[in-house]
Amino acid sequence: MQTVVITGGTDGLGKGLALHYLRQGARVLAVGSTPAKGEALLAEASAISAADRAEFVLADLTSVAAARDLVRRIERGCTAVDKLILCAQRYRLFGPRTTTDEGFEHSFALAYLSRYVLSHGLRPALEAAPRPVVMNVGTPGIRLGRVHFDDVQLARRYSGTKATLQSFRANDLLGVAFAACYPGSAIRYVGYNPGVVSTGMPDHLPQPLRTLAKAQFALFATSVPKAIGPMVRLLDDPPNLPFSAYRGKRQLPLKAPAFDQDAAQRLHHLTQELLEEAAAA
Ligand SMILES: NC(=O)c1ccc[n+]([C@@H]2O[C@H](COP(=O)([O-])OP(=O)(O)OC[C@H]3O[C@@H](n4cnc5c(N)ncnc54)[C@H](OP(=O)(O)O)[C@@H]3O)[C@@H](O)[C@H]2O)c1
């Protein structure tokens, strides 16, 4: 039986994928920070006779310690992980800069650091599976934002948009660096941009942006069941490449600046240092 781990598996795209793989007979571990959403997912799993294969894992992935603990819990409970799908995200486009208890800027911590810790931490469990895949769901192919190497915590010139876009670009580089770190690994790492999809994402935006975003979603967005089609095809049959990136069905050229090898290595080493400092604190 396949084991599928999905962060943000209790809502939106992650939940759509969780229910898909439960219907396919897989064991699914869905990670989220809201117990009520986890319970709702388990009720839906029950309704499709998959209660015994569905697990809700409560974790606040803004915390590096929680992400590390999640790795240990998964390793204890699973001999292998076939698919790791990284969807956990909460946009903070407005408002003041906030930091986590560990001192990291919120978007950097949730949308990038947790994905770094889970990708690298679960590598042995993934490599124990016959065809392991990591799908990092973000916005590859969008030429907006950059990694602010001189100030990755955005302590000097913060804006929510800058932080959100930085987390996207950091995830582009995470996939590049991950592939370079483990030459010969069977893991296929896929960066994936689903386009605009009608999820609960606008619920967390302030008014009037929430209403505006919902209206735009109603007009232009793809539904979750439709959006997960190409994701599932890639997850079940990824290209035979250590790293690939897609925007919908279109494979992106890796020579674009967003996937620069030097920048990827620089961010990888910077992240290692930040995590070591946090562990020592
Ligand atoms: N929807 C789009 O149009 C779109 C477009 C491009 C890219 N994407 C990307 O696709 C991915 C999924 O987006 P979505 O629209 O499906 O999101 P969503 O519906 O808002 O779901 C987000 C998920 O992340 C979880 N989450 C949020 N904060 C968390 C935390 N601190 N710890 C653990 N889990 C947390 C949420 O669960 P809890 O609330 O329980 O924590 C939920 O399960 C994201 O990476 C997003 O950037 C989406």
Side-chain angles (χ1 to χ4, degrees), residues 7-15 31-35 37-38 56 59-63 86-91 106 110 115 136-139 168 192-202 204 217 221 224 231:
T7 71
T10 57
D11 211 343
L13 287 159
K15 182 178 182 181
V31 183
S33 69
T34 309
K37 288 189 188 179
F56 166 58
D60 177 358
L61 292 175
T62 57
S63 156
L86 301 164
C87 283
Q89 172 78 293
R90 174 82 14 96
Y91 297 144
H106 178 275
L110 172 60
R115 295 178 186 213
N136 189 338
V137 185
T139 66
F168 285 136
Y192 188 81
N193 179 347
V196 182
V197 185
S198 184
T199 67
M201 188 262 275
H204 303 280
F217 268 27
V224 169
M231 300 173 85

